[in-house]
Amino acid sequence: MAKISADKVKVYFAGFDFGTATTSVGVELAVAALDPTTIADNAERAIAGIRADTVEWAGLYDDSTLSPDVAGSLVIGSNTNNVFSVHIGTTTGNVAYVGTAIMFAAKAGGGVKDLVYQEAAFKPDGSWDRGKTHVIRTVFTADTDSGSIDNGASSTAGFKWYIHVFSYSGVASSTISLQDGTNGATFVSVDSTSISTRTSSVKTSTGTLRRYTRLFIQPSGTLSVAIALVRV
């Protein structure tokens, strides 16, 4: 039985929110079968193992400022800070598939008197990471923590957090800190980032990340962000 309804899936790309226009999204984790067959072979050979992940998205046409149509117009083919995130569910700790990606196809079309559909396809730079949602798109105007996640155990190989900044206003930079702890009650900061513009980025850090994690958001003015954490 499904635990999360489809309308709770959030799709973000390069600081664009694909919003309620989404009708379907599929994250494919795949490997390519390489073909080393030569003329002398009497049967086809295959070597599998090279990741070939993709995402396919479809939804209704929306010409608002942060729509998939605008994203396609502005960043198709670009490979600069193009963070892609699919958050499955809206609760802290839900699964998120994230990575840096290129949008390689974007299409809008429809028949007369029909709803106008959009489609888009994405290819990651490498493979998708499976992480956890710390914040779905939320507007912050005062110091707030995200609520803690129990990750089950410490991680000693480092971590990455995938950040989408949808909008920002303020006279100074805003600060978001990643914090960890051993008991879910006491936290210390292990990494932070400063935000002063709409963007998307990945922060990579090495070292141990303890069992419990949370974000502490300190906005200057108004800040709209979504963040997922991947423990390596």
Side-chain angles (χ1 to χ4, degrees):
M1 179 180 293
K3 296 171 63 178
I4 299 173
S5 62
D7 66 344
K8 300 300 189 293
V9 177
K10 306 298 181 183
V11 181
Y12 308 126
F13 176 61
F16 292 90
D17 183 356
F18 285 17
T20 57
T22 299
T23 58
S24 68
V25 59
V27 178
E28 181 178 14
L29 310 180
V31 293
L34 303 184
D35 186 358
T37 308
T38 66
I39 294 176
D41 293 328
N42 60 9
E44 184 179 16
R45 301 166 55 205
I47 298 176
I50 304 299
R51 290 289 291 270
D53 297 353
T54 58
V55 160
E56 293 185 353
W57 176 93
L60 301 177
Y61 184 83
D62 179 4
D63 62 356
S64 64
T65 302
L66 299 180
S67 72
D69 176 64
V70 175
S73 299
L74 293 179
V75 297
I76 187 167
S78 170
N79 59 1
T80 303
N81 288 332
N82 286 344
V83 177
F84 187 94
S85 304
V86 177
H87 295 252
I88 303 174
T90 59
T91 303
T92 299
N94 284 154
V95 171
Y97 286 95
V98 291
T100 55
I102 182 172
M103 176 189 279
F104 66 84
K107 180 174 66 174
V112 177
K113 297 184 180 181
D114 290 339
L115 293 173
V116 180
Y117 286 94
Q118 300 183 83
E119 297 176 358
F122 306 85
K123 176 73 176 175
D125 178 16
S127 60
W128 300 122
D129 289 328
R130 188 180 189 275
K132 292 186 176 181
T133 296
H134 271 62
V135 177
I136 63 163
R137 184 178 181 178
T138 304
V139 176
F140 297 95
T141 58
D143 292 2
T144 311
D145 71 74
S146 64
S148 66
I149 293 176
D150 182 353
N151 296 291
S154 297
S155 172
T156 59
F159 51 93
K160 296 182 285 186
W161 38 319
Y162 291 80
I163 306 166
H164 295 273
V165 182
F166 304 103
S167 64
Y168 167 83
S169 65
V171 296
S173 297
S174 297
T175 301
I176 300 178
S177 301
L178 176 63
Q179 302 178 333
D180 74 350
T182 58
N183 57 15
T186 303
F187 290 86
V188 298
S189 294
V190 293
D191 200 3
S192 65
T193 187
S194 294
I195 293 169
S196 59
T197 186
R198 191 184 76 80
T199 186
S200 65
S201 61
V202 183
K203 282 189 62 64
T204 302
S205 299
T206 59
T208 298
L209 192 65
R210 294 181 294 176
R211 175 173 175 171
Y212 294 88
T213 55
R214 75 176 188 182
L215 297 174
F216 188 66
I217 299 96
Q218 297 171 284
S220 171
T222 300
L223 176 67
S224 176
V225 296
I227 300 173
L229 175 69
V230 174
R231 303 196 310 159
V232 179

